[in-house]
Amino acid sequence: MIYFNCDYMTGAHPEVLKKLYDTNMEHTPGYGMDVYTQEAKALILKSCGLERGEVYFLEGGTQANKIVIDRLLTRNDGVVCCESGHINVHESGAIEADGHKVIALPEKDGKLEAKDLEKYVADFYRDQTHIHMVRPAMVYISHPTEFGTLYTLDELTRIADVCHRYEMPLYVDGARLAYGLVAENTDISLQSLSTIADVFYIGGTKCGALFGEAVVTRRPELFMRFDSLMKLHGALLAKGRVLSVQFIALFTDNLYLRIGHHADRLANKLKEGFRSKGYKLFMDSPTNQQFIIIPNEKIAELRSVVGFDFWGPEGETESIVRFVTDWSTTEEAVDRLLKLI
Amino acid sequence: MIYFNCDYMTGAHPEVLKKLYDTNMEHTPGYGMDVYTQEAKALILKSCGLERGEVYFLEGGTQANKIVIDRLLTRNDGVVCCESGHINVHESGAIEADGHKVIALPEKDGKLEAKDLEKYVADFYRDQTHIHMVRPAMVYISHPTEFGTLYTLDELTRIADVCHRYEMPLYVDGARLAYGLVAENTDISLQSLSTIADVFYIGGTKCGALFGEAVVTRRPELFMRFDSLMKLHGALLAKGRVLSVQFIALFTDNLYLRIGHHADRLANKLKEGFRSKGYKLFMDSPTNQQFIIIPNEKIAELRSVVGFDFWGPEGETESIVRFVTDWSTTEEAVDRLLKLI
Amino acid sequence: MIYFNCDYMTGAHPEVLKKLYDTNMEHTPGYGMDVYTQEAKALILKSCGLERGEVYFLEGGTQANKIVIDRLLTRNDGVVCCESGHINVHESGAIEADGHKVIALPEKDGKLEAKDLEKYVADFYRDQTHIHMVRPAMVYISHPTEFGTLYTLDELTRIADVCHRYEMPLYVDGARLAYGLVAENTDISLQSLSTIADVFYIGGTKCGALFGEAVVTRRPELFMRFDSLMKLHGALLAKGRVLSVQFIALFTDNLYLRIGHHADRLANKLKEGFRSKGYKLFMDSPTNQQFIIIPNEKIAELRSVVGFDFWGPEGETESIVRFVTDWSTTEEAVDRLLKLI
Amino acid sequence: MIYFNCDYMTGAHPEVLKKLYDTNMEHTPGYGMDVYTQEAKALILKSCGLERGEVYFLEGGTQANKIVIDRLLTRNDGVVCCESGHINVHESGAIEADGHKVIALPEKDGKLEAKDLEKYVADFYRDQTHIHMVRPAMVYISHPTEFGTLYTLDELTRIADVCHRYEMPLYVDGARLAYGLVAENTDISLQSLSTIADVFYIGGTKCGALFGEAVVTRRPELFMRFDSLMKLHGALLAKGRVLSVQFIALFTDNLYLRIGHHADRLANKLKEGFRSKGYKLFMDSPTNQQFIIIPNEKIAELRSVVGFDFWGPEGETESIVRFVTDWSTTEEAVDRLLKLI
């Protein structure tokens, strides 16, 4: 059996696990007050090119989204995202559970467009009855998106412009950021992201860690008593360094980007392999998720030897299927898949 | 330097870490749908002597408390605990954040007493204005308590009787359960706890795991769509097996109880050492937390070589200090401490 | 100046105010424990044809929606409505503030369609990842809708069928129910609504009361400790009879329906007046709200003598305008308006 | 039967009802955008001696408390009050329902003391683990208190000093403010209250209105988009003027203070009547609530002709009973009661 179901099927990248092992017997204070957490924060801020800023370590993507949004919004404010936004669809109402409306706008290739955002917010403030409505008070996007696509620097900048004009912090969900940063032709780097977004997170769980995400902000003043808010959400890990040492490993010797490169290269090989055999793409993704349109008969045939996710029907006889690569995907697995199609 | 600050200063017990290492390269489905999670659940239910029941794995104690309580209470209901209850004092308002009032009652030796509970609840239902008040709808206790003390089987049974009479599920926070189960003279076993409490959790974080707690219930019908509620709270780990394989290690070859024994034995040695030199105990704990009254001068002297927690002043010239042992505490460390006093 | 802006510009219908006046000096217990509240409940249940059921009095529509929905949903559940649903657009996030997602589906003439509902819910349960999603757990519709349109008995029954098949209570917002019950050609009566909906409210505020709505349910078992939940939401009026005596007036001598008839007749006259002069309707409403398409020049001209609401642009040179009638609208006002166009 | 159960048994003071009647047929915009609301706000600010400030009209006391507190606190903050505080005991968890912990401190004669407040807050900030605790972020007191007692200007000022030192807004619940302002020997006026409290409310429901409270603040900058928050809480009345015209009546010709005088005078007569016959007071209240200790036999005897509230047992053979006066209490009723004892 070969597996392309998702990027969280195996444990941690060996260099990450080794770091956990190497530090295991040391005594450090709890709740992130340890030296490793300080070291990881410094490493990350440096990689981001931020002289001033703050980093917080959380356990998972939904948790990071939920708590960041809970901090940035006051009670009668909402967060804007696009229809397929993870917070809108696949977080079991985590944002609403904290009292905040998710305002979903149309999208293109999984991306929010600056013009749609501008129109929505301008209309809101023009509406005389807006005291009866939820104020759009921050913006959420993912990079890469749910479909593996990427914003261009220009697209991102235009969204940020609208955000700043209407005083809405821009938050970028980077669950799969490693795969975006090293994608072919992308012009968004960790540094540019760090200065454009008000806050974003560097995904660990789906990029080689056992678990964990690093929330980064250039505006610490927005995150007053954030550790206390983390505690309130049940998200302040007692052995806080368990998260930070993983990020030290990921940000040592470029491991984070090496993981991205490895997965993107194999995903691209997989995509081109399908394409060369006449398959159509549902979405042309430059990152580690590939959405291919495959005849239903072929899907049934592949299922016994290949793991992948069913994404939805495409007409009567075909379906969209998702293949995902990560640090643990081997060249042999891709070759074997391509032989089967 | 020797450390007695808390039971979460080091990483995981080597047998736990080894299990993570050994399973690292395997591919399994996410979100707890994997075989290890099934195996861990079966192991735990068997240890608890439960033929029917359910187990859920969560990342930390506050998270477990928060989500269990959120499931068991409807909106205008509250949870009863004693004044020093962790949910009342040290969870940054995690329970209230979900809309539930924490109703704190008096305590003795850190323990809620059945008679105080009975009186409060009976008074509530007798009060003609109780529609203006929060209904006491479940009960939270810790075993061991915040002060390391233990309920007796009789005390626990009497609390459970009140709970059942007023249809309030009884929930036991077992953050340090390992140290309670093997304490000298205790008559509460994992099996008796499993049948008396409606739900409880077996603490991993403070008992040898990197992180993680196992919520156990003999009443799965109270936990409908609990995985979805975990997701809503940002607590459904993508690589779910990272939690369960640790519990497999803890419940293999009695590791969980061995860890408890080791820590309790050293804690007891430490306590008796202090006692034999004339120190008074603030609380006579049979488990891994010891609360000793020490002259302030002596405290200042110890600080440079021993790590411990300051608990509060005791008169003008003395203070209460907490010493904690765990799996990584060595006999040498205890001996060294006892030489210093 | 003549006013058609909305149905809450004047005070109460004189018969309602008289009842407040007549009872003013009496002493009764607070919080709805008085005889008037019992009398009003009995009157309403009888009008609804319900032998068994419960009635609760609340202060306004958003409050009623918010509290009913909060009672019927558990934490990780959502409420389904159509895009223009009041709870989705004009309640400032009142539903989300209590932790519940509003799931908005497409609509036709302001109405939710049974087939769209069926498809959404069936897809949800078919989706293997539905633990990551908000469960559609109840359905909200308005009758009349935001556009003054009405469901037919057949449409309502088909929606209820889907609701019951998937165990979703059906809740009907009757903010303007008076105008719906007596509309020409409607086949939905108070009695049929009472047996089809699990819960609905009879609007007072927009139908002749100073303020107040009566929530009616044939399933009191779903509303355990609802008065306590009302208190929690700040909605339990101390002088509870202030609400119920108004409803006694409204349900005496058919006042509620008389108010509906008066307003609908004048609204229809207004509509036909516009139509006969060649104006197009944005929506063909049989109730007290009329949406007419009017040239922008004409709108500007009318503004100085007529009050109405601007609803939105319709092309470059025309706009949609809303005219509303109520118990205090006079025949003269309508005649005067029709002369101006 | 004569009634002393509470101050919300009758309707509105005739002058209040007359104002509702006189304005009933006028057309005004909804949601508080009308001229009466503007007039009432100006009248109240003037009475308070505030040149700059804001006034909001709400429907009841719990609602006012809930929404004001929800505005002033951010998520992981709590509100401090004394044990008998209405928000701590009799609001069905309304504050916690919005996610905020109520921190209850000891009291004396129903009053919070500045020294207890100072100690609690100072300890909080001194505690190294305070990120795990709820921050005391605002203070709630009632004037008069639940027991009818009054703060002195000196007591109030000392509490305010602590509040300002720790940046905690001071909020005063004035459900029965009329009775406090005119009490014998009080040195707190509406003007002094207005400059000392950051926000308070002038109670209408218990002081002669049908219903309604006026929230007053000298710091409007703390109340951004408060009308939208009111809407979110289901508390923005469509016919907003129904509240404000009542306050116009209450603040015309000193009606509010006249109501206070009338009730206090009769309450004082009642108290002295009891005292002169040898009854003991449970609490020496200068306002409209009187708490008298009465033999149980006598209570049973009175019950058939006098309405009052049972407050609690006082030893074996006596109980505490509450008698309340208001605008509708007559001299005859008091005389009749005094003859019966």
Side-chain angles (χ1 to χ4, degrees), chain A residues 21-38:
Chain A
Y21 194 87
D22 289 349
T23 57
N24 190 58
M25 297 304 295
E26 296 185 33
H27 284 81
T28 54
Y31 302 111
M33 310 304 283
D34 62 281
V35 290
Y36 292 111
T37 299
Q38 295 314 307

Side-chain angles (χ1 to χ4, degrees), chain C residues 289-301:
Chain C
Q289 298 187 88
Q290 296 300 330
F291 297 84
I292 320 280
I293 296 168
I294 304 187
N296 294 337
E297 270 183 38
K298 188 71 190 174
I299 289 174
E301 185 191 318

Side-chain angles (χ1 to χ4, degrees), chain D residues 233-244:
Chain D
H233 282 289
L236 194 63
L237 216 57
K239 300 181 180 177
R241 80 177 193 223
V242 169
L243 291 166
S244 52

Side-chain angles (χ1 to χ4, degrees), chain A residues 108-214:
Chain A
K108 205 183 152 199
D109 297 341
K111 294 188 277 182
L112 183 68
E113 293 192 279
K115 66 175 175 49
D116 291 331
L117 178 62
E118 166 79 46
K119 181 172 171 8
Y120 183 84
V121 183
D123 282 354
F124 171 84
Y125 283 108
R126 215 155 21 219
D127 192 326
Q128 285 172 358
T129 69
H130 75 64
I131 66 160
H132 300 264
M133 296 165 70
V134 175
R135 189 167 72 102
M138 69 176 285
V139 172
Y140 163 100
I141 60 172
S142 314
H143 183 83
T145 67
E146 295 297 312
F147 296 104
T149 53
L150 294 173
Y151 287 87
T152 64
L153 188 55
D154 181 58
E155 287 168 343
L156 186 67
T157 305
R158 278 187 288 125
I159 286 173
D161 280 352
V162 181
C163 287
H164 299 154
R165 205 140 16 87
Y166 291 99
E167 294 185 3
M168 304 181 291
L170 174 60
Y171 170 48
V172 180
D173 178 334
R176 295 187 168 99
L177 189 58
Y179 313 114
L181 294 177
V182 298
E184 254 186 285
N185 300 323
T186 184
D187 54 1
I188 292 184
S189 65
L190 190 54
Q191 293 74 21
S192 57
L193 187 60
S194 301
T195 51
I196 294 172
D198 294 279
V199 53
F200 66 101
Y201 82 82
I202 300 174
T205 302
K206 292 174 177 169
C207 303
L210 271 189
F211 72 113
E213 329 293 329

Side-chain angles (χ1 to χ4, degrees), chain B residues 22-39:
Chain B
D22 290 348
T23 57
N24 191 58
M25 297 305 294
E26 297 185 31
H27 284 80
T28 55
Y31 303 111
M33 310 304 283
D34 61 282
V35 289
Y36 292 111
T37 300
Q38 294 316 306
E39 182 186 338

Side-chain angles (χ1 to χ4, degrees), chain A residues 9 11-12 24 92 209 228 239 241, chain B residues 9 11-12 24 92 209 228 239:
Chain A
M9 295 193 82
N24 190 58
S92 205
S228 174
K239 300 180 180 176
R241 79 177 193 223
Chain B
M9 296 193 80
N24 191 58
S92 206
S228 173
K239 299 180 181 178

Side-chain angles (χ1 to χ4, degrees), chain A residues 192-238:
Chain A
S192 57
L193 187 60
S194 301
T195 51
I196 294 172
D198 294 279
V199 53
F200 66 101
Y201 82 82
I202 300 174
T205 302
K206 292 174 177 169
C207 303
L210 271 189
F211 72 113
E213 329 293 329
V215 172
V216 181
T217 182
R218 58 183 172 84
R219 301 182 61 190
E221 73 278 7
L222 297 178
F223 289 80
M224 295 288 287
R225 275 177 67 77
F226 193 66
D227 38 13
S228 174
L229 188 68
M230 286 164 59
K231 180 74 183 180
L232 174 152
H233 281 289
L236 194 63
L237 217 57

Side-chain angles (χ1 to χ4, degrees), chain B residues 2 16 24 75 118 125 148 150 155 157 175 242 254 256 314:
Chain B
I2 49 178
V16 170
N24 191 58
R75 177 64 98 147
E118 165 80 45
Y125 284 107
L150 293 173
E155 289 169 341
T157 305
V242 169
N254 278 320
Y256 195 66
E314 180 78 3

